[in-house]
Amino acid sequence: MNKSIIFAVLSGCVLMLGSCAGKTEPTPANAADTTAVGLSSTVTDCEVKAGNVTFTRAYNGADTLTQVKTDGTLAMNTPMGRDFFRDPNDGILTQSTAPILLTKVDNTKPFTFSTKVTPGFTREGLYNAAAVYVLVNDTLWQKFCYEQDERGNHRIVSVRTIGTSDDNNHEVLTQPSVYLKVSSDTRTIAYYYSKDNKEWQMVRLYRNSYPKELWVGVSSQCPQKTQCNSLFQNLHLDQTQVGDFRMGS
């Protein structure tokens, strides 16, 4: 190839790279440093204490929608139109508006995060849910929900997102509340639910390929109509793993 042509092509590449490197995204007012969290949307510092957990980051104004009652119950009141999902079908249904409270976890050590959830189910509240999150950034996360489905049933749902989201419907339950738990031994990560906080049912288990720093948290979502006023009780986080990953205890 002619040397002058090569030089022109390389010069054009340098100019293109320089122009891209000069672009920066605006930082919202009062926003926390999101570098560690890896989130591209609005994330603010907060301090919300419930159980033995202190949530230090609020996603989509979660702290402003949350009240901690005198008995330690965390109540999150979510207006309609709030969801967190990355649609695999050309992004048509993608949303990142759900409020989430987050606390940092050292993923180089085992951990277990659990809570009793009571979602704000309503007659028209399609996909209303209370959820537990394991989150790295907008495109790498897992939510574990007690959710209302298309037939009005209340069921366990898990959504694992790596770029785009899968959507897995599990057992239908009839009680207003259920216990949710996520546990890791640093190599694997698993999700469980329980009706009585004694006998646990494993829902998903896969390799823990998340980075050293993770965020876990809770969320109340209301993708469609009315609102979703969810309760979170018995919030507990420690750096230990379950004894039996198949039994969840």
Side-chain angles (χ1 to χ4, degrees):
M1 182 181 290
N2 188 287
K3 290 183 178 179
S4 62
I5 295 176
I6 293 174
F7 178 77
V9 171
L10 290 175
S11 298
C13 290
V14 171
L15 288 173
M16 289 175 64
L17 289 172
S19 64
C20 291
K23 294 181 180 179
T24 56
E25 294 296 324
T27 301
N30 302 319
D33 176 10
T34 60
T35 303
V37 188
L39 295 173
S40 62
S41 300
T42 303
V43 184
T44 55
D45 288 326
C46 70
E47 186 174 350
V48 178
K49 298 180 180 179
N52 81 328
V53 182
T54 300
F55 298 102
T56 58
R57 295 290 172 95
Y59 192 67
N60 292 321
D63 55 332
T64 66
L65 303 173
T66 298
Q67 178 185 11
V68 179
K69 301 182 179 182
T70 56
D71 65 354
T73 297
L74 188 153
M76 187 180 293
N77 301 328
T78 304
M80 67 179 183
R82 302 291 197 98
D83 197 8
F84 209 70
F85 186 72
R86 293 189 63 84
D87 186 8
N89 184 23
D90 299 324
I92 296 171
L93 301 177
T94 293
Q95 281 202 60
S96 57
T97 56
I100 312 170
L101 287 176
L102 301 166
T103 188
K104 190 186 294 185
V105 170
D106 181 354
N107 194 36
T108 67
K109 301 176 182 179
F111 70 86
T112 300
F113 179 55
S114 60
T115 183
K116 178 183 179 182
V117 303
T118 307
F121 293 134
T122 66
R123 179 174 295 181
E124 296 184 313
L126 178 60
Y127 306 130
N128 275 15
V132 169
Y133 273 76
V134 171
L135 185 148
V136 178
N137 56 47
D138 284 347
T139 60
L140 183 59
W141 50 268
Q142 164 96 47
K143 68 178 174 181
F144 187 40
C145 315
Y146 191 26
E147 182 177 295
Q148 184 165 313
D149 71 9
E150 296 84 355
R151 295 178 174 84
N153 295 318
H154 303 155
R155 63 168 69 244
I156 301 297
V157 173
S158 65
V159 180
R160 188 182 181 192
T161 297
I162 305 174
T164 59
S165 301
D166 66 22
D167 202 349
N168 288 270
N169 285 350
H170 307 285
E171 289 85 350
V172 172
L173 305 176
T174 57
Q175 65 269 26
S177 305
V178 68
Y179 295 86
L180 301 179
K181 177 164 63 178
V182 55
S183 187
S184 169
D185 63 356
T186 73
R187 296 169 300 173
T188 56
I189 189 165
Y191 300 81
Y192 311 88
Y193 78 88
S194 174
K195 298 178 182 180
D196 57 10
N197 203 26
K198 296 178 181 178
E199 182 175 332
W200 294 88
Q201 175 65 48
M202 187 185 74
V203 175
R204 297 185 78 152
L205 182 148
Y206 52 85
R207 180 183 176 186
N208 185 344
S209 56
Y210 295 123
K212 295 179 180 180
E213 184 177 283
L214 267 184
W215 295 78
V216 299
V218 295
S219 176
S220 178
Q221 69 181 43
C222 183
Q224 299 291 330
K225 296 181 180 180
T226 65
Q227 59 184 359
C228 186
N229 303 330
S230 297
L231 303 178
F232 301 87
Q233 299 169 286
N234 303 347
L235 281 151
H236 189 79
L237 172 64
D238 59 46
Q239 298 274 185
T240 62
Q241 68 194 57
V242 296
D244 186 324
F245 265 80
R246 304 306 301 186
M247 301 300 292
S249 57

